[in-house]
Amino acid sequence: MNKVYYIMGVSGSGKSTIGKLLSKELKIPFFDGDDFHSANNIQKMSEGIPLTDDDRQSWLQTLNDLAVEQSTKNSCVIVCSALKQKYRDILNTNLTSKTIWIHLVGSFDLIQKRVQRRADHFMPTALLQSQFDILEKDANAIEISVDLSPQKIIDIIKNQHHD
């Protein structure tokens, strides 16, 4: 059965790094949610303005459509912040494949340092606190500390969720 691996967490938690590694390891397609934001959303974030639920609606729907389409052909890895349960509910809509949620967690200080080191990302460090503020944990997600090495994180995911 095909699976959709959703990797969630605040900006700077390592979603793209882990997603690409998992995709390579499992030999399945990788999709970065950031690549599907509208120009308007990217502009708002670039200006330090947090996105509203309305801003995120079409983005989440696009990612859900992608997951549904991909899961008919293959398993896949999709990374996106998915900070609220209602966002995850949208991402899971109409999916008949198994979904596996992986939540990368770390302290504000550690993740802030990571975000400050990124030169090529549209989201300024100032928006990080707003992400921590709205983050709702997912009881069904496996939580993995970003203090671990990327390979250790991949090993945990594979050991717990790969048949």
Side-chain angles (χ1 to χ4, degrees):
M1 170 186 249
N2 291 335
K3 299 175 185 172
V4 176
Y5 293 86
Y6 280 117
I7 301 178
M8 62 173 278
V10 296
S11 184
S13 60
K15 296 181 301 290
S16 296
T17 299
I18 299 305
K20 288 174 187 171
L21 284 171
L22 184 63
S23 161
K24 184 176 179 187
E25 192 104 1
L26 300 180
K27 297 176 178 54
I28 59 176
F30 165 78
F31 301 95
D32 192 324
D34 284 348
D35 295 339
F36 295 86
H37 272 297
S38 68
N40 187 51
N41 282 2
I42 291 171
Q43 181 67 33
K44 279 184 88 167
M45 288 185 283
S46 298
E47 293 171 2
I49 302 168
L51 297 180
T52 65
D53 288 354
D54 286 343
D55 293 330
R56 288 185 176 94
Q57 183 64 42
S58 64
W59 172 65
L60 292 166
Q61 188 57 58
T62 297
L63 292 177
N64 173 253
D65 292 344
L66 172 69
V68 169
E69 177 190 341
Q70 284 298 313
S71 67
T72 64
K73 302 182 256 183
N74 199 349
S75 294
C76 66
V77 176
I78 299 176
V79 302
C80 66
S81 50
L83 300 172
K84 293 183 180 181
Q85 185 59 50
K86 66 182 178 179
Y87 302 165
R88 295 187 289 275
D89 292 343
I90 293 167
L91 292 167
N92 281 331
T93 302
N94 298 322
L95 268 173
T96 55
S97 297
K98 181 175 182 178
T99 56
I100 297 166
W101 285 91
I102 298 136
H103 181 184
L104 300 177
V105 296
S107 72
F108 179 84
D109 290 340
L110 173 65
I111 292 178
Q112 182 179 38
K113 286 179 182 134
R114 287 179 168 194
V115 170
Q116 289 169 338
R117 286 195 303 260
R118 294 194 322 195
D120 60 346
H121 199 268
F122 55 79
M123 197 188 103
T125 308
L127 284 184
L128 185 59
Q129 186 61 56
S130 70
Q131 289 196 342
F132 270 90
D133 290 347
I134 68 165
L135 177 64
E136 297 171 2
K137 292 191 182 243
D138 187 324
N140 298 315
I142 176 174
E143 285 192 8
I144 304 176
S145 172
V146 300
D147 290 329
L148 300 172
S149 71
Q151 189 56 55
K152 179 66 177 162
I153 292 171
I154 297 302
D155 292 345
I156 291 169
I157 295 166
K158 284 176 57 181
N159 289 337
Q160 293 195 18
H161 292 289
H162 189 63
D163 303 319

